[in-house]
Amino acid sequence: MTVRELPVVDVGLLAEPSTSRDALRAPGPVAEFATDQLVLPRFHVWTLGCQMNRSDSEEMAGALLAAGCSEAPSLETADLVVINTCAIREAAEQKVIGRMGVLERLKVANPGLRVVLTGCAVRADNTAVLPRRYPAVDVFLRPDEEPELVARLGLASRTAPGALQPPAWPPSTPSASRPGILQRVGVSVAATADHLPASRSAAVGEGRIARGSASQAWLPIIYGCDKTCTYCIVPFSRGPERSRPFEEIVDEARSLAARGYIEVTLLGQNVNSYGHDLAPEPRFASVHGQRTLGRRLDLDGRPDIAALLRAIDGLRTSDGRPAIPRLRFITSHPWDLTDRLIEAMASCPSVCEHLHLPVQSGDDAVLRRMGRQYTVDAYRGLVDRLRAAIPDISLTTDVIVGFCGETDAQFEATVALLREIGYDQVFAAAFSPRPGTPAARLADDVPAAEKRRRLNALLAVQEVIGLERNQRWLGRETEVLVESVQPHRVHDHEAGPDAIGLGERSPQLTGRNRANRLVHLAGDPERVGTLVRARIERAGPYALVGRSVG
């Protein structure tokens, strides 16, 4: 047997190749150079955090599959582990740190095992401490370096399956926009995201995206973040905002429609700030206006997310229906929720009636310390305009409790805002200072026990609100995109079907309606990836239970 040795990854004994995904191999003239039997690492990608991380993981998995690697179902069966981290909350980092002992033991059993760590935990300004914090890791990659994964592992050569090469930038790409070049953001140093749009275009063009679903797809449209939230590490880990070219996004959406995808989610750290960094074009002459919140920008004549939604919604089948039945976008910042965007949401049939709009606090003084640059009244105005244009819209949000200096009265103002607005779901967390952020220099003066009390109190209030909002669906029919077959269980933060009456019916299908509500129903597992009509029979705080009616 001929073994192809890797410069970085020393391959040990390998199990049978994985068949969990179709191998992504680029055909080419190099097949004659392949050895009789290639032995390449089985990889496992462990993804934490946001939807953008999940999209990034699809790109990394696709590159590894195109290089001839196979996928392992778990850390324990892998020869290469890629950990895509989240650093928004301390708990996410602790989860990875807690696995270091397991990985070190796996390395003893399998000396060929190599570990790569990437995501928001890896920044230009913390490289010195990472090896001590993550002792089992062999290679650290910043988010902007993820396209280099295959090259760093020695798989990018002319004789590698798929003939992958190190990233090749167009001649027009300035050297300052290529990986490894650093750019200042605020008071810290972050890697530039300038090259990521071109990298995504190359991955899409070469078929190197290992999508995890045949019916739902992530579609990144803007990378990085220019916002000023004092608690957030993203601008320092992912660099400034960089939008993908308008036509490239529409072309990717068109290809997803041709492959039968039912739901596409446009992604960005602040997705609705798309386009402000692109050059003006005559075809966008109708785009006018300035931000009414936050830092002022010249938006005239530049593409925006409203134009993008209309263009993708305009992709139609032969019978005139939207080629992509469901279109979503996440995550939105109140700064960029323009009237143009609200109008596009209301008028485009494919755009789902749901918006995630983080508020973070219900007190103006806390919002100022957070660097959010809007007031509670300004946020209320956005909600009013949304509900006037889309009466049935589902609203979800993020809340941080126990932020620096938050008093009991300020916390109660946040709880009152939840009751007033009536969110369908709230993602809440207790504040944890992130090293490198401006908030890390503020006094973290709310005791941990008080943070826990406030978090539990807020979640208890939201549970009542969520139940009341979900009960409005009783007796109604709704369209559900079935996502998976799930066991009967009750999760800590998501009432399972047993808790709200599905009982022992089996199998249990789980999906979401256009309003992003979780729906459980009994049915044929073959319905996964399809749209079904369901009549809602029971409601809990976090989920609905329905019966298929067609």
Side-chain angles (χ1 to χ4, degrees), residues 156-180:
S157 69
R158 276 293 174 192
T159 56
L164 290 178
Q165 294 295 304
W169 312 113
S172 60
T173 304
S175 60
S177 299
R178 301 179 185 183

Side-chain angles (χ1 to χ4, degrees), residues 46 48 81-104 107 114-123 126-141 233 434-435:
W46 178 23
L48 300 95
V81 173
V82 180
I83 306 173
N84 196 351
T85 61
C86 173
I88 298 298
R89 303 280 183 260
E90 183 180 10
E93 286 192 307
Q94 290 300 320
K95 185 178 294 186
V96 177
I97 292 171
R99 299 301 293 271
M100 289 297 105
V102 172
L103 289 168
E104 288 180 322
K107 281 188 164 187
R114 294 295 179 265
V115 179
V116 177
L117 190 134
T118 184
C120 287
V122 185
R123 307 187 305 277
N126 71 344
T127 53
V129 303
L130 291 177
R132 295 194 300 272
R133 186 176 299 167
Y134 305 103
V137 173
D138 301 289
V139 178
F140 296 95
L141 298 177
I233 197 65
R434 313 309 300 130

Side-chain angles (χ1 to χ4, degrees), residues 421-468:
I421 291 180
Y423 292 104
D424 296 274
Q425 191 171 7
V426 172
F427 299 89
F431 172 69
S432 57
R434 313 309 300 130
T437 63
R441 298 192 295 271
L442 300 177
D444 183 19
D445 53 1
V446 180
E450 176 61 15
K451 289 180 183 179
R452 289 194 297 271
R453 185 198 69 79
R454 292 179 187 180
L455 180 60
N456 290 333
L458 183 142
L459 292 174
V461 169
Q462 179 56 35
E463 187 169 284
V464 174
I465 297 170
L467 177 60
E468 188 274 330

Side-chain angles (χ1 to χ4, degrees), residues 179-192:
I181 306 300
L182 302 181
Q183 176 170 327
R184 289 201 169 270
V185 178
V187 298
S188 186
V189 177
T192 179

